[in-house]
Amino acid sequence: MRRLKYKIHHEGTNILISLAAILAVVNAPLWIWVRPLSWAIVSTAVCGVFYLLVVNFFRSPRREFPGDPVNTVVSAADGTVVALEETFEPEYLKCRCIQLSVFMSVLNVHANWFPVDGEVIFSRHHSGRFMAAYLPKSSTENERSTVVIRTPEGQDILMRQVAGAMARRIVTYARPGDEASIEDHMGFIKFGSRVDLYLPLGTETLVKIGDKTTGGVTEVAKLHPKAKTT
């Protein structure tokens, strides 16, 4: 039997069920008591479009990475590259790194993939503000979750999920000791956000500002075999 290319992410199941019930309760009285029926038709159509947009947000595509994962960094999210620069990472790596950030609009898939194969060695959630996710300060001031993966070659890659102005919940599945695979989901962010990757200096970047990425598929960088994060 052929597997479905898309499914609904389990993070959205309860939301979609509740939303369907609410919209049914809102529209049912219009069909029963309000005349002309054009009011009910218009309301149902608007609610239907809104519901399909929410369904689209929680879609969870099946993806397989087609290349060689050794020393490869793939995009952790669908979206647009909004930052690519050298910076200092103060939380865990405590050194200068290359920051590569992808912004997700409400139309993008919001599941997040592991950017590299390896082992999760650090995971921490931080409460914070809800500024627009494309702003530089959002990486350090917004609600966020930090995960560090150590590759089989011994390099530490830091991934940070950052909530946006609309996002109110970051879900992080990764825990220290977990095996990380670029074909697996690392987490999910609900409604508008960004993902930052902090890569060792010497890493070859394969994207530029404004490029579109596909989580779990787009190669965004190649780690230098001798590059170190500490």
Side-chain angles (χ1 to χ4, degrees), residues 174-192:
R175 295 291 182 269
D178 288 352
E179 179 182 352
S181 170
I182 56 179
E183 294 187 350
D184 291 340
H185 288 172
M186 188 281 280
F188 195 96
I189 311 180
K190 297 184 178 180
F191 302 111

Side-chain angles (χ1 to χ4, degrees), residues 18 21 23 30-31 52 62 76 84 90 107 114 124 128 132 148 157 194-196 220 224:
S18 299
L23 295 180
L30 298 179
W31 286 95
L52 289 176
R62 299 180 185 276
L84 184 58
L107 298 179
F114 285 106
R124 180 176 295 171
V148 179
I157 307 302
R194 77 187 249 179
V195 170
D196 299 333
V220 296
H224 192 284

Side-chain angles (χ1 to χ4, degrees), residues 21 86 151 169 216:
E86 182 178 328
T151 70
R169 188 184 177 201

Side-chain angles (χ1 to χ4, degrees), residues 154-223:
Q155 300 186 70
D156 293 347
I157 307 302
L158 188 146
M159 172 180 172
R160 181 168 292 133
Q161 298 169 287
V162 183
M166 294 179 63
R168 287 298 182 271
R169 188 184 177 201
I170 294 176
V171 182
T172 305
Y173 309 135
R175 295 291 182 269
D178 288 352
E179 179 182 352
S181 170
I182 56 179
E183 294 187 350
D184 291 340
H185 288 172
M186 188 281 280
F188 195 96
I189 311 180
K190 297 184 178 180
F191 302 111
S193 44
R194 77 187 249 179
V195 170
D196 299 333
L197 297 180
Y198 291 84
L199 311 172
L201 296 181
T203 296
E204 177 189 3
T205 55
L206 305 177
V207 292
K208 61 184 182 299
I209 299 292
D211 282 356
K212 304 296 183 181
T213 64
T214 301
V217 175
T218 303
E219 294 188 33
V220 296
K222 277 288 187 182
L223 298 172

